Amino acid sequence: MANSCYLAQHYEDQVRPCIDLVNSLMSLGVEQDLSLPAIAVIGDQSSGKSSVLEALSGVALPRGTGIVTRCPLVLQLKRDSKDDAWSGVLSYEGYEEKLEEPKEVGDAVIRAQNAIAGDGKDISDKKINLEIYASNVPDLTLIDLPGITRVAIGNQSDNIEEKIKKLIEEYIKQQETIILVVVPANVDIATTEALRMAKRVDPDGQRTLGILTKSDLVDKGAEEVVVKTLNNHAIRLEKGYMIVRCRGQRDIMEDMSLDISLKKEKEFFSNHKNFRIFLDERKASIPHLSERLTKELVYNISRSLPLLEKQVIDKLEQISTQLRMLGDGIPEDEAGRVKFLTQKIGEFNQLLTDVVRAEEDLEDSDTRIFTQFRNLFSVWKAELDEKDKRLRKKIDAAAMKEYAKSHRGKELPGFLNYRIFEDLVKGHVKELEVPALGLLQSCKDIICVNLSEITTRFFEMYPYLMRQVKHNLEILRDQEYKRAEEKLKSQFAMEKMVYSEDGLYIEKFLAVKSETEADRKSNGKDSDFDGTTQHLRAYLKITTDRLANQVPLIVLHHMLDQYIGQMKEAMMGILTHKKFEKFTEERSDVAQERSYLRSRMERLKKARQALNSFVAV
């Protein structure tokens, strides 16, 4: 495992503080909240990417044909200060297995993949975490992702290619991730899907480093193509390309150690007439890759720090807001529960008071309940005016003559039977009763919807209490609606009595008479029935004005003042309800969400402290 020493030896002074910081953030579990600098290894199927990862880490990973990496393998290398120390911990989905020797890693990873993705060849997005503690490795995180395949075999999903690409993209799209694109040196890199995927998420190759493998399998005469790629003259990447020679299948079957493999790799590049220049330029071999990778990771960590700090601050603010919305939870002791429920009911009753006062808080697109009522009252007044206008046309002088022909009794010409006058008024009033009841129903619907929404928002975390409040809302709403309906019907029954206070009536009559005389002068017309029509018009004005105010007053009195007043009393009655304990039960998922948010806040606070300490140093 001497090859792994390169990661620990090169740039120790520069690397150690950065790696320690990222390691501490990972130990806190901060990667659940934001993206931390990491290294993802991607490649087409059988490209040799697991071999590269194996050479970098010193750990023998599973090999074979087909899809070998079937789950994301997060390899965390952690340096142990004890000489020759080595231990490992493999974990997934709550399961944990301790490893005593490096040779146990391969079988342990296979067992984990089978447990997660099944014994076949399908994949899963569930992660396997492998922690390696050793004296000759640095603190570093490497992520091995499934190789890209195009054809489903065996019991693989038909959309296996799509699933693998989606999984890979979730990792490599993170701006903090260094992408190692592994491409066999003996194939046309333009045909590799892994490189195309990297270019899509990192067009300029700012985060992408190309790794050419299987350098010993390049056909004679094809070396110039590889040289062109290594010189970044083919498909350009800002970070460029490197070339390695890892253990092949035959080397593994012959049990070649990683140390021997490194020596053979060095010999290979030193003696290769086309590639040895890249060894001198530190673009060839696993040790030089390790050195380059360490530099890139340190740079990436340093570049990511300002963004990490901002993300931590933003996340803390976001979680604080969510926790405020959830509240502190319900106390466990009885006195605390009584106090909690009393406060909650008081706050809700204040919301109801605000509704009556037309002072309730609104979302940008909402309208206050009272304002919605006013809009309906305006429609009601417009309907009264339209009905009045129609009747006035009906009782103009010419129409009255026709009407008198069929309704006239013993009276002499120029007189109109008072019963006919009453019939006209009663008919007019009868036509208005149905629209008035419709107005009441519309207002009932408005307050029903709005109070239901207010109740849901306010008590959504307390389902039993919310059901009781909504039950009370329905009972009292229907009760006040019935009372308002009865009062409206009574009002229209009274309107059929045809009555007005004398002084008020005379005032209206004189005003109408003045209007009529003005009309007579302008058009020169006169009629025996002008006096009668003037009386009718005067009384219609009184009726219209009375109903324009009285109907809305009845609606407001019952469907707003009385309804909400009764509701506030019912809310206070909950405090003495026999099922009081049930009303203080919280929705099952709320406590879990609160606990989850608090744990996130705690680790983010620690992460912020770690970042501040790092900056201070």
Side-chain angles (χ1 to χ4, degrees):
M1 294 176 58
N3 63 305
S4 299
C5 292
Y6 288 97
L7 286 171
Q9 292 172 352
H10 290 293
Y11 310 102
E12 180 69 16
D13 292 339
Q14 295 91 337
V15 173
R16 176 54 53 187
C18 292
I19 297 299
D20 284 346
L21 172 64
V22 174
N23 186 51
S24 65
L25 294 177
M26 284 188 172
S27 66
L28 293 172
V30 177
E31 69 272 12
Q32 299 175 54
D33 303 290
L34 41 88
S35 299
L36 295 176
I39 303 169
V41 186
I42 69 171
D44 290 14
Q45 185 176 313
S46 302
S47 61
K49 62 181 183 57
S50 291
S51 299
V52 172
L53 191 60
E54 167 187 286
L56 288 170
S57 66
V59 175
L61 297 171
R63 294 274 199 120
T65 58
I67 302 176
V68 178
T69 305
R70 300 195 289 129
C71 304
L73 176 64
V74 181
L75 179 59
Q76 293 179 301
L77 305 177
K78 300 185 178 183
R79 188 180 181 192
D80 193 320
S81 59
K82 297 177 183 179
D83 292 339
D84 299 325
W86 195 97
S87 63
V89 178
L90 182 141
S91 60
Y92 60 91
E93 297 185 312
Y95 171 81
E96 184 174 289
E97 179 182 351
K98 293 183 178 180
L99 307 173
E100 302 295 335
E101 297 181 24
K103 64 182 181 181
E104 297 176 4
V105 170
D107 290 339
V109 171
I110 291 173
R111 288 195 299 272
Q113 291 187 149
N114 289 340
I116 293 174
D119 293 337
K121 292 293 182 181
D122 218 338
I123 69 161
S124 171
D125 60 358
K126 296 178 181 177
K127 294 188 296 185
I128 299 172
N129 290 286
L130 178 59
E131 298 176 59
I132 301 296
Y133 300 84
S135 59
N136 54 356
V137 298
D139 291 286
L140 188 64
T141 296
L142 307 166
I143 306 172
D144 188 19
L145 297 170
I148 302 170
T149 187
R150 291 175 175 78
V151 181
I153 60 173
N155 60 353
Q156 290 176 351
S157 304
D158 291 337
N159 62 338
I160 187 69
E161 180 183 5
E162 180 184 343
K163 289 171 65 176
I164 291 174
K165 288 181 179 179
K166 183 178 180 181
L167 173 60
I168 291 173
E169 188 170 343
E170 285 299 312
Y171 283 87
I172 65 174
K173 70 181 181 181
Q174 304 297 336
Q175 294 303 304
E176 296 75 22
T177 299
I178 295 174
I179 309 171
L180 294 190
V181 180
V182 179
V183 181
N186 60 340
V187 303
D188 182 2
I189 65 169
T191 65
T192 59
E193 183 60 28
L195 190 56
R196 281 199 289 265
M197 287 190 68
K199 292 289 282 184
R200 281 197 292 271
V201 299
D202 181 32
D204 298 327
Q206 297 286 345
R207 299 183 290 113
T208 305
L209 180 61
I211 310 298
L212 302 183
T213 60
K214 304 183 180 181
S215 52
D216 54 330
L217 301 181
V218 176
D219 294 334
K220 288 185 178 182
E223 292 92 349
E224 290 184 4
V225 176
V226 178
V227 170
K228 183 179 178 182
T229 299
L230 288 168
N231 284 325
N232 218 1
H233 294 155
I235 297 178
R236 180 173 176 78
L237 296 176
E238 190 66 28
K239 290 190 181 298
Y241 295 82
M242 295 187 70
I243 189 167
V244 297
R245 179 189 184 278
C246 301
R247 293 189 305 173
Q249 192 61 37
R250 181 176 178 181
D251 296 331
I252 295 172
M253 292 176 63
E254 293 177 355
D255 202 23
M256 178 187 291
S257 69
L258 291 171
D259 289 344
I260 298 298
S261 176
L262 276 176
K263 291 178 182 179
K264 286 188 170 293
E265 180 192 45
K266 185 175 182 180
E267 291 175 4
F268 173 78
F269 286 122
S270 297
N271 298 324
H272 200 291
K273 65 177 183 178
N274 298 101
F275 299 156
R276 64 170 169 252
I277 187 174
F278 297 107
L279 185 63
D280 296 336
E281 293 177 355
R282 311 184 82 83
K283 292 182 180 180
S285 81
I286 288 296
H288 288 153
L289 173 60
S290 300
E291 179 183 339
R292 171 72 182 279
L293 199 54
T294 304
K295 285 182 178 179
E296 295 289 351
L297 184 59
V298 171
Y299 169 76
N300 203 33
I301 292 172
S302 301
R303 183 176 61 86
S304 301
L305 283 179
L307 179 60
L308 283 175
E309 288 182 279
K310 184 179 185 305
Q311 286 180 339
V312 168
I313 293 171
D314 290 346
K315 290 286 184 181
L316 282 171
E317 291 179 355
Q318 179 185 346
I319 293 171
S320 295
T321 301
Q322 291 175 302
L323 281 172
R324 282 196 299 271
M325 292 176 64
L326 290 178
D328 296 329
I330 300 175
E332 295 185 2
D333 61 294
E334 184 176 353
R337 286 176 177 266
V338 172
K339 182 179 179 180
F340 166 81
L341 191 56
T342 301
Q343 180 179 349
K344 201 71 181 172
I345 287 173
E347 292 172 355
F348 183 72
N349 278 354
Q350 182 58 50
L351 290 179
L352 295 180
T353 300
D354 291 342
V355 168
V356 175
R357 293 176 177 174
E359 296 175 352
E360 68 265 36
D361 292 331
L362 300 175
E363 299 293 335
D364 292 341
S365 60
D366 290 342
T367 306
R368 288 193 168 96
I369 293 175
F370 196 91
T371 303
Q372 294 180 63
F373 277 19
R374 273 189 177 277
N375 294 336
L376 290 179
F377 296 159
S378 296
V379 174
W380 164 245
K381 178 61 167 64
E383 189 161 7
L384 286 173
D385 292 340
E386 180 61 26
K387 293 281 187 183
D388 178 71
K389 182 179 179 181
R390 289 179 185 175
L391 185 58
R392 288 175 64 180
K393 287 183 178 180
K394 183 177 180 181
I395 61 173
D396 65 15
M400 285 299 295
K401 286 182 180 180
E402 294 300 319
Y403 191 85
K405 288 180 182 179
S406 57
H407 291 78
R408 181 180 174 188
K410 296 170 61 179
E411 62 273 7
L412 296 172
F415 291 90
L416 188 65
N417 190 304
Y418 184 73
R419 182 172 295 178
I420 295 176
F421 178 89
E422 276 190 323
D423 287 344
L424 287 169
V425 171
K426 288 178 181 180
H428 176 65
V429 170
K430 185 177 181 180
E431 288 183 5
L432 295 173
E433 184 172 352
V434 172
L437 293 174
L439 170 65
L440 173 62
Q441 180 64 50
S442 296
C443 290
K444 173 189 174 184
D445 293 341
I446 286 172
I447 202 161
C448 173
V449 170
N450 282 269
L451 289 189
S452 179
E453 290 177 352
I454 291 172
T455 302
T456 298
R457 287 196 301 267
F458 195 80
F459 292 113
E460 63 179 340
M461 292 182 290
Y462 316 100
Y464 197 92
L465 179 57
M466 182 170 66
R467 285 197 296 271
Q468 181 63 40
V469 174
K470 287 194 172 184
H471 174 73
N472 290 345
L473 283 172
E474 291 173 6
I475 295 295
L476 294 173
R477 181 197 65 220
D478 291 344
Q479 174 182 299
E480 289 304 317
Y481 174 79
K482 185 176 181 181
R483 289 173 179 170
E485 186 181 43
E486 290 174 352
K487 194 165 288 187
L488 281 177
K489 289 180 178 179
S490 177
Q491 179 69 32
F492 278 94
M494 289 187 289
E495 289 295 339
K496 294 174 184 177
M497 293 170 58
V498 187
Y499 171 79
S500 173
E501 190 273 329
D502 290 348
L504 179 60
Y505 180 79
I506 291 171
E507 179 183 341
K508 290 290 183 183
F509 176 76
L510 291 175
V512 170
K513 185 176 181 181
S514 177
E515 292 174 5
T516 305
E517 290 176 354
D519 290 342
R520 183 184 300 115
K521 289 179 181 180
S522 62
N523 56 37
K525 293 183 179 179
D526 199 355
S527 171
D528 293 336
F529 293 96
D530 277 347
T532 302
T533 57
Q534 290 168 7
H535 282 290
L536 277 170
R537 289 180 181 180
Y539 190 78
L540 287 178
K541 282 183 174 291
I542 292 172
T543 302
T544 296
D545 290 346
R546 191 158 54 204
L547 290 177
N549 286 298
Q550 190 64 16
V551 170
L553 279 173
I554 292 171
V555 172
L556 286 171
H557 177 68
H558 287 284
M559 299 312 300
L560 201 60
D561 285 16
Q562 288 297 301
Y563 176 29
I564 288 183
Q566 294 286 343
M567 188 61 205
K568 289 165 67 176
E569 289 184 18
M571 290 300 299
M572 297 306 297
I574 288 176
L575 293 171
T576 58
H577 199 283
K578 61 182 180 180
K579 293 183 179 180
F580 170 82
E581 290 293 326
K582 296 286 289 183
F583 295 141
T584 56
E585 288 182 2
E586 197 172 38
R587 204 175 67 210
S588 59
D589 62 309
V590 173
Q592 295 175 358
E593 178 68 10
R594 186 183 294 109
S595 176
Y596 167 68
L597 289 173
R598 284 173 176 170
S599 65
R600 284 184 64 193
M601 175 165 278
E602 186 63 27
R603 66 172 173 255
L604 283 169
K605 284 181 178 178
K606 291 179 179 178
R608 190 175 184 182
Q609 291 175 354
L611 287 167
N612 289 339
S613 298
F614 178 82
V615 173
V617 173

